[in-house]
Amino acid sequence: GIDAPVETRYTRVSKRKKETDQQSYELFKQLDLHEYEGKSGGQNIKATFQLSDYVIDNDGDLENVHLKIDNILELVKNGSS
């Protein structure tokens, strides 16, 4: 799975400037928690993370997350966990 701090995700969503993304931080956190716990109409992120062998913290830039992905791919290639 890939995760990021709620503050980071809010900043990224706000920058998209889509009409549906323009919401307060408090509302964003509330909706995010519902989705995390599977109380929304779609995803159950908590359950998904429990199934994941690896979780990448996407708290940096694109190059940073690519390095983290490459590290996990190397672990998988070498049979490590």
Side-chain angles (χ1 to χ4, degrees), residues 14-53:
S14 296
K15 287 181 181 179
R16 291 193 305 207
K17 303 219 185 274
K18 288 185 177 180
E19 187 176 325
T20 56
D21 294 337
Q22 301 308 307
Q23 55 195 246
S24 71
Y25 179 63
E26 292 305 315
L27 178 59
F28 180 84
K29 286 195 316 184
Q30 180 183 6
L31 295 172
D32 183 70
L33 181 60
H34 282 238
E35 190 173 79
Y36 178 79
E37 294 177 343
K39 295 178 181 175
S40 68
Q43 303 178 43
N44 184 331
I45 295 171
K46 182 179 180 181
T48 302
F49 280 135
Q50 291 172 343
L51 296 171
S52 299
D53 291 327

Side-chain angles (χ1 to χ4, degrees), residues 2-3 5 8 10 12 16 18 25 27 39 43 48-49 55 62-63 66 72 80:
I2 299 180
D3 197 12
T8 301
Y10 178 74
R12 290 173 179 168
R16 291 193 305 207
K18 288 185 177 180
Y25 179 63
L27 178 59
K39 295 178 181 175
Q43 303 178 43
T48 302
F49 280 135
V55 175
L62 193 56
E63 182 178 342
H66 283 174
I72 289 174
S80 303

